[in-house]
Structures are given as structure tokens and as C-alpha cells.
């Protein structure tokens, strides 16, 4: 019994889609995340291989046509694979948010270019539905491309983290969106190839809209923005799938788009914000109210590594709250060594993770897993918030906004209402910071001035290293 080649891609795409489902399932928990990554990689490898085979199948015509197509595929796939492997192997975990953002831009650019190329294809479908798919794919793709580039620049520090608030920005956004709708109607009415001008105009306006939307979002909301751009890239891929009649692109894009939207919603709930408030609110534009600004003359209690080591030796329970400062200092391995020492001496040591800690969803979890921290002592905010009041020492390493009591006590604060890790309820709080500067959201942290808070200033890696040395020599 022979099987027609036309059924092979469909079967392979079905298998790849199942692998993507298993990948998402695996990525839902730290213990199975590695396996989930493997499933996703195998599924994508299968999809690329079958797509390449489909592109080469049945090629006929002038001599050398098959060789030319193989050369073109090789010129696209091989450099891309090599560059991707090198970047993935060399990127630091602290740079992972920027890498994710720029990868989203590639997906958006691809969707926009596929839409334009599909319209220019003389053999394409000519129905209104297909033209609408092209316009939608180009719009989402262009918006995702420029939005991701701006997010990359903000995360990298090339652009400032403060939101760019243009007067009348909401009206301007609405005008750009409405213009794209009007241009789509014109595009549908124009016979080919006359519709290329409105299509290019849609591309340009959508690109401007994407850049403006993300530029107006403050740095404190970047974790949500990265997740939201992930959703956009998924819908862009799904739109490209409709244009190309590719079932796997449609399925995969829908997976990515819906999972990114769900994750963005979960993160917004963790910040007590609506998704619309994040996208259009310009959060972080004004300084925190209800108290002195960072650097004002307020008393803090500075400590030393030896004094903190004495506190840890006397403690029975310790909670570590990691933040982006730990990631920047690449101190996760030393932090893991610190908690290992404590646990070997019978101290109950755990980690508390806020949903938006760092600049990428799950950033802290990945860092701790990389350092070999056992999964069972890494607790989410809802799991551990009730345990701070019975904890002897809390070590806050490079975190700021996620432990700010102003979120619960100061109605004038921009982060008021955001659920936070209630670290200040512990008997002693030790905060490791480089200086008294505000966090990424630009909000001063009231926890620094509490009577039970000690400040250990300096680079997180050096400070934790000094703590480890003090514990090893003095215990």
C-alpha cells in the first residue's frame, strides 16, 4: 500500500502539533520544563524538515530548478540555525528578556513580509476573505515587529524605562487604528496589483502604532509587555498560516497567542491591574507619592556581611526573595550555596517568587533552576505570603517593587493595590542593594526605612559571597 506524499505533511504537522501541546504541558512546571523544551524542539525540527520536503517535492521545469531551490532553502535555513544556536549558547540569563523581545520582532516581520509577498503572488486566492487575512496578518505583524524592537531597546537600556506620553496619545492611537480599518476597506476594493499601496500604508501605520504603544509603557510593566508581545507574535504566525493555508502555523500560532494572552492576564492580576491599563495607562510616568523621594534624608540601618551571618546562624527559618539585581550580578549560584549551607545546619530555607519578579515571566525560576535549587523550596507568592510572619530572617536580593509595602498602605503610590511579597512581616529583613535608588518602576520602597530592616549595600554577588565565606568560617 502506497501513501500519497500529500498526506505526509498533514500527518507530520499533526505529530508536531501534539509535540507542541506536550511542550506547553511540560513548561507549566519547573520539574518538567526541560522535557517540555525537548518536545518543542523536536516538534519544530519535524515541522521545518517536512516544510522543506514539501517545497522540494514535485519541482520540475528548467534544468537545475531543484538544485536552485535546495540552494535557496540552504541559504535560509543553515545560517539561521547557526546564528540561533550561537546566540542561544552565548546569551546570558540576564539578557534573556531582550533576546525574547527581539525574537518576537522576527516573527512579526516575517508575518508582514509573508502577507505582502502573498498579495503579489499571481497565483494567490482572490476572494475577499483571503485579502482580509492578508491585511490582518500585515497589521499584526508590523505592530509586533516595531513594538518588540522598542521593548528590546527598553530592556537593554538603549531607551529609558520611563513611558513616552505624547499629548492626546489615546486619540492618536485610535486614529491610527481607524486609518488601518479604512485602508483595509480600500485594499479589498482595489483590483490587484493596485492594492499594494494601501497595503504598504497599513504596514507603515501599524509599525508606527506598535512603536508608540510600547514606548508609552513604563519599565515596571515590561514583564507583562514581553508576555503580551509573545501573544501578538502567535497571532501573527496564525495569520500567516491562514495566508499560506498551513495548518501547523495556524495551530502553533493559536497556541502561542492564547497562552501569551492568558499569561499576560495572570500577570496583570498579580499586579492588580487590567491589561488595558498596562497597554494604555502609561504606568510609571509620575513619581511615587505619599512619601519622600529616593535619596531623601531618611534614616536607614546599614549592616555588614558578618552581622548578617550572625543573624543567619541564629535563625531557624529564612526566606530568600530574589530579584533582577541578583540576575544582573549573576549571583544565583552563590545564593544557592548560601541556602545549602543553611539547610545543612537545619535551618528552614526557602525562596519566595513574585509573578513579575525580573523582566521576563518565570525569569527567577529559570535562574534558580540553572543554579540547581531544589524545586520544592521555591514557592510562589500565594504559597508563601502567609509564612513571613513566622520567619526569622528574610534576605531580599536585588528586588524592590515586589516587596514594597506602599502597594498595600499608600493610596497615592502608583503601585497601590498590587499584590506583593509581605517580607516586612518577618522578624528581621536584610535588603541587599547597590544603593538607595528606586526600583525599575521608579517607586521608592518604604520597607528600607522600617525598624526591622537592615541594608547591606554593594554588588549582590560580592555581598552574598561575603556571607557564604562568613558562614563557612564562623559556623
Amino acid at each position: 500500500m502506497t501513501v500519497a506524499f500529500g498526506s505526509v505533511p498533514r500527518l507530520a504537522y499533526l505529530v508536531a502539533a501534539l509535540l507542541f501541546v506536550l511542550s506547553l504541558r511540560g513548561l507549566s512546571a519547573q520539574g518538567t520544563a526541560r522535557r517540555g523544551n525537548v518536545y518543542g524542539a523536536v516538534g519544530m525540527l519535524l515541522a521545518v524538515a517536512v516544510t522543506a520536503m514539501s517545497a522540494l517535492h514535485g519541482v520540475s521545469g528548467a534544468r537545475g530548478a531543484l538544485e536552485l531551490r535546495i540552494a535557496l532553502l540552504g541559504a535560509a535555513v543553515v545560517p539561521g540555525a547557526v546564528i540561533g544556536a550561537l546566540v542561544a549558547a552565548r546569551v546570558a540569563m540576564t539578557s534573556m528578556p531582550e533576546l525574547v523581545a527581539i525574537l518576537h520582532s522576527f516573527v512579526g516581520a516575517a508575518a508582514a513580509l509573508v502577507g505582502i509577498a502573498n498579495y503579489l503572488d499571481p497565483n494567490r486566492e482572490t476572494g475577499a476573505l483571503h485579502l482580509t487575512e492578508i491585511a490582518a496578518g500585515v497589521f499584526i505583524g508590523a505592530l509586533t515587529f516595531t513594538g518588540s524592537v522598542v521593548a528590546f531597546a527598553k530592556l537593554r537600556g538603549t531607551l529609558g524605562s520611563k513611558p513616552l506620553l505624547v499629548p492626546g496619545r489615546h486619540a492618536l492611537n485610535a486614529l491610527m487604528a481607524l486609518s488601518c480599518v479604512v485602508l483595509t476597506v480600500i485594499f479589498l476594493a482595489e483590483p490587484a496589483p493596485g492594492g499594494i499601496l494601501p497595503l504598504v500604508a497599513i504596514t507603515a501605520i501599524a509599525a508606527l502604532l506598535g512603536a508608540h504603544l510600547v514606548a508609552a509603557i513604563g519599565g515596571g510593566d515590561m514583564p507583562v509587555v514581553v508576555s503580551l508581545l509573545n501573544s501578538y507574535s502567535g497571532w501573527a504566525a496564525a495569520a500567516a498560516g491562514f495566508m499560506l493555508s498551513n495548518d501547523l502555523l495556524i495551530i502553533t500560532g493559536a497556541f502561542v497567542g492564547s497562552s501569551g494572552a492568558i499569561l499576560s492576564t495572570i500577570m496583570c492580576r498579580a499586579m492588580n491591574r487590567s491589561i488595558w491599563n498596562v497597554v494604555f495607562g502609561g504606568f510609571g510616568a509620575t513619581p511615587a507619592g505619599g512619601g519622600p523621594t529616593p535619596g531623601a534624608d531618611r534614616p536607614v540601618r546599614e549592616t555588614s556581611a558578618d552581622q548578617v551571618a550572625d543573624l543567619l546562624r541564629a535563625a531557624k527559618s529564612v526566606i530568600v526573595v530574589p530579584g533582577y539585581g541578583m540576575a544582573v550580578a549573576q549571583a544565583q549560584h552563590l545564593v544557592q550555596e548560601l541556602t545549602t549551607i543553611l539547610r545543612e545546619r537545619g535551618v528552614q530555607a526557602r525562596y519566595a517568587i513574585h509573578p513579575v519578579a525580573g523582566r521576563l515571566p518565570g525569569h527567577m525560576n529559570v535562574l534558580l533552576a540553572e543554579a540547581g535549587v531544589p524545586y520544592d523550596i521555591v514557592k510562589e507568592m500565594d504559597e508563601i505570603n502567609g509564612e513571613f510572619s513566622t520567619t526569622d530572617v528574610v534576605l531580599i536580593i536585588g528586588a524592590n517593587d515586589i516587596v514594597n509595602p506602599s502597594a498595600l498602605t499608600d493610596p497615592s503610590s502608583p503601585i497601590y493595590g498590587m499584590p506583593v511579597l509581605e517580607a516586612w512581616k518577618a522578624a528581621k529583613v536584610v535588603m541587599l542593594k547597590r544603593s538607595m535608588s528606586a526600583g525599575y518602576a521608579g517607586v521608592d520602597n518604604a520597607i528600607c526605612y522600617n525598624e526591622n530592616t537592615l541594608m547591606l549595600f554593594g554588588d549582590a554577588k560580592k555581598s552574598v559571597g561575603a556571607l557564604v565565606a562568613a558562614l563557612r568560617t564562623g559556623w
Side-chain angles (χ1 to χ4, degrees):
M1 179 180 177
T2 59
V3 179
F5 180 81
S7 63
V8 173
R10 290 193 178 94
L11 179 61
Y13 287 162
L14 177 61
V15 174
L18 290 174
L19 287 169
F20 292 149
V21 172
L22 291 173
S23 176
L24 286 175
R25 175 67 177 173
L27 292 171
S28 65
Q30 279 185 256
T32 57
R34 291 181 185 274
R35 191 188 316 153
N37 269 325
V38 171
Y39 286 142
V42 172
M44 186 55 67
L45 179 62
L46 176 62
V48 171
V50 171
T51 301
M53 289 172 58
S54 299
L56 299 175
H57 179 71
V59 176
S60 59
R63 184 176 180 180
L66 179 61
E67 289 80 0
L68 175 61
R69 187 162 292 193
I70 291 174
L72 290 173
L73 279 172
V77 173
V78 175
V82 171
I83 293 171
L86 289 175
V87 170
R90 297 178 62 181
V91 67
M93 274 306 304
T94 51
S95 300
M96 192 60 70
E98 299 101 284
L99 177 63
V100 172
I102 203 66
L103 289 177
H104 291 159
S105 75
F106 295 158
V107 177
L113 292 173
V114 165
I116 294 172
N118 190 259
Y119 177 73
L120 295 175
D121 184 357
N123 298 318
R124 64 165 174 81
E125 296 180 35
T126 57
L129 179 60
H130 186 69
L131 291 176
T132 304
E133 292 169 356
I134 291 175
V138 167
F139 175 81
I140 299 171
L143 185 147
T144 303
F145 170 66
T146 55
S148 299
V149 170
V150 173
F152 167 81
K154 278 179 171 277
L155 290 166
R156 194 169 182 83
T158 306
L159 290 178
S161 64
K162 288 192 176 297
L164 174 66
L165 303 183
V166 178
R169 67 187 185 282
H170 299 312
L172 181 60
N173 291 334
L175 180 61
M176 286 191 283
L178 182 61
S179 299
C180 288
V181 172
V182 173
L183 286 166
T184 299
V185 174
I186 297 173
F187 171 68
L188 294 176
E190 286 284 344
I196 190 63
L197 291 179
L199 188 60
V200 170
I202 291 171
T203 307
I205 295 173
L208 182 60
L209 178 60
H212 183 239
L213 282 173
V214 178
I217 300 174
D221 286 332
M222 274 300 118
V224 182
V225 173
V226 171
S227 177
L228 197 59
L229 288 169
N230 181 60
S231 180
Y232 291 170
S233 69
W235 299 124
F242 280 110
M243 286 185 277
L244 299 174
S245 299
N246 187 300
D247 295 337
L248 184 61
L249 264 180
I250 296 171
I251 293 170
T252 306
F255 280 160
V256 175
S258 56
S259 61
I262 292 169
L263 179 58
S264 300
T265 302
I266 291 172
M267 295 177 74
C268 284
R269 286 175 182 167
M271 299 165 65
N272 196 34
R273 313 263 304 286
S274 72
I275 194 93
W276 305 110
N277 181 261
V278 170
V279 174
F280 300 112
F283 174 71
T286 57
T293 56
D297 187 17
R298 300 181 70 186
V300 296
R301 295 156 185 82
E302 191 171 350
T303 187
S304 66
D306 289 333
Q307 290 174 327
V308 177
D310 290 338
L311 280 176
L312 294 175
R313 278 190 285 266
K316 293 183 179 179
S317 60
V318 174
I319 294 177
V320 177
V321 179
Y324 189 68
M326 184 193 77
V328 171
Q330 300 184 24
Q332 63 269 26
H333 294 280
L334 280 170
V335 173
Q336 186 272 342
E337 186 178 351
L338 173 69
T339 52
T340 298
I341 294 172
L342 294 174
R343 294 177 74 208
E344 288 173 349
R345 300 302 194 278
V347 179
Q348 184 187 23
R350 294 145 294 163
Y351 293 81
I353 307 295
H354 192 279
V356 294
R359 298 185 188 175
L360 186 73
H363 197 181
M364 294 300 107
N365 301 72
V366 174
L367 281 173
L368 297 178
E370 179 192 39
V373 174
Y375 302 132
D376 60 336
I377 65 172
V378 179
K379 306 293 183 182
E380 299 297 330
M381 178 177 65
D382 293 338
E383 296 179 276
I384 203 166
N385 245 354
E387 299 182 26
F388 282 109
S389 58
T390 58
T391 298
D392 297 319
V393 180
V394 170
L395 287 177
I396 302 172
I397 306 175
N400 195 79
D401 304 316
I402 60 173
V403 291
N404 194 336
S406 298
L408 305 182
T409 61
D410 184 3
S412 66
S413 173
I415 63 170
Y416 181 69
M418 169 181 166
V420 291
L421 292 165
E422 299 173 5
W424 60 88
K425 292 184 177 180
K428 280 290 182 184
V429 175
V430 179
M431 197 162 189
L432 280 67
K433 281 174 66 81
R434 285 182 176 272
S435 67
M436 286 300 297
S437 60
Y440 199 57
V443 181
D444 192 21
N445 194 344
I447 197 174
C448 300
Y449 313 107
N450 288 352
E451 291 186 1
N452 66 331
T453 299
L454 299 173
M455 303 298 298
L456 182 58
F457 292 112
D459 175 80
K461 190 171 186 178
K462 292 181 179 178
S463 296
V464 178
L467 284 176
V468 170
L471 286 175
R472 288 203 178 279
T473 57
W475 211 322

